[in-house]
Amino acid sequence: MPDNGNNLNRRQLLKYSAFASAGGLSAFAGCSNNGGSSGSGGSGGSNGSVSIDFASNWKQRRTTSLDEWKLSDRQAVPDANKQGSTDAWKQSKSVKSAPWQPPKGWEDSAAADVDSIQVLNFGSLDYDPATVATYAMFEDRTGIKIDPLELVVDQAIPKETAFLKAERSSPQAFEVVTTSSFSSFADAGYLANLDALMPKDEMWDTYQPVTKPTSTWNNHVYTCPAYLEASLVHVRPDLLKEQGVPENSRKAILDGSWTWDDLEAAMKAFEGTGTYAWAYRGGSRTYTLRDFEKMFYQAGGTFYENGKVKVNTDAGYAAVEKMVEWRNKGWVPNEVVSYGQGDLADGFLSGQFAMVPVYGDLVSKALAKYEKGTEYQPTLSPKGGSSTPNPTRAGIASPTGISINVNASESQKAAAMLFGDALLSESSQWWEFVVEGNQSFSKSVYDEASQAGVAEFADIRGKQMTLNQAEVFPQERPIKQHVSQQVQKAIAGDLDPKKALDQAQSFINTILGQ
């Protein structure tokens, strides 16, 4: 779910699959209900048990360069009004020239028996051109069609839980927000083991640091990186100057060296003006939690350490206390108690806020309204203030992956694994960043986009991505929902900040038995 108010334009893809043999290379060995291997054999449809070697020539399939995949070819995409069409993308030079090919020998695997795979997608594909482009590339290279099941996320997550509990075999693949329901699905045995897709540790090196820890659970791969959203701070330099924000703080904000102390100096400068330097969202389970998380990490916090989940720490207290303090001082609007998904982005675009900490997909909208440099630029997250225990410049990352239904047939899992390989290609990740405006799991995409001058602020976005945090821990979805509820009560003035996190910790201890 993006922060920019496009409600659910998220998307993604689909399917992925299969399963790993003891050697880690069989793309359709049998899957047990706990996601583990039932052996290196297993029937894989009429083609029998034939391995797909995802390690062979993986760099050639998944990485590229501006010399190999030329910029003019990459940019030859369908017109904007046709980017929701798989057929239009298939006819485009961008897809036709993309270097990704499925692993050699896949035609002899069970995947070749599959005509189509159904995937549950968060939201409408009309808003997901990168997903559609990857569908087109995959269908063009394999002949296997993707049948998307498009559901808004509020419906999708309960429906995922329902069909998985019912042991239904379709949809065969589905999106999973890896810092939410992923660990619960994996623990319940609902997800097929995908170790075969990443059999060598070095295969992770081409991707962002958050990729491996948010794709694995109990040392096994259960989801394939699909698309990535992450923190960025959007700034109106002109408003900071007009409002008299101290020059040293203004400079630090714009060059990315700032801290909460500089943020508070900016907030103070806007006192009583009817506009604000900053705001957060205090009325949404999802977005209140995200805005708390950013400050929690910046204060030096971490949710999961040494096998335990803990939020009532010095960093946790510092984050909530600042959120409450800023509202009490009038440094953020009193109405933050009702703010949800798109309120910060909308307020920034209307001139109500000089800075907002939302995801990077706001960049294009901001540039369409404001002059680059003088009226708009993004910057890095601030470090926690001088009173925080271990200040960092972290933001948050929200990776979404594609997991495979453990009850799908082995041939469908094998076909979906091939799709996972396509998702991991630089072609797919380039479309995500340059065409759709999400962050990219691929490290090289930022450098190439910057070198080619085809994505605004690629350097800043790439640097922030290396700083962003994402954690996976047991019972993550219910824990985060409860923490968010307690933080909301504190922001609203209904609960002391320290007591709010202490009560959240009591809930965590109970459900985890820690």
Side-chain angles (χ1 to χ4, degrees), residues 360-382:
D361 50 0
L362 180 60
V363 169
S364 59
K365 286 188 175 183
L367 286 171
K369 186 172 179 65
Y370 300 123
E371 184 178 338
K372 179 180 177 181
T374 57
E375 295 182 326
Y376 171 72
Q377 79 165 68
T379 191
L380 303 177
S381 295

Side-chain angles (χ1 to χ4, degrees), residues 13 20 110 173 202 232 265 288 294 307 311 362 364 391:
L13 259 24
E202 67 185 81
L232 201 63
T288 300
K294 294 165 193 171
V311 295
L362 180 60
S364 59

Side-chain angles (χ1 to χ4, degrees), residues 344-365:
L344 296 193
D346 291 345
F348 183 78
L349 295 174
S350 69
Q352 183 184 12
F353 306 129
M355 297 182 284
V356 290
V358 300
Y359 286 165
D361 50 0
L362 180 60
V363 169
S364 59
K365 286 188 175 183

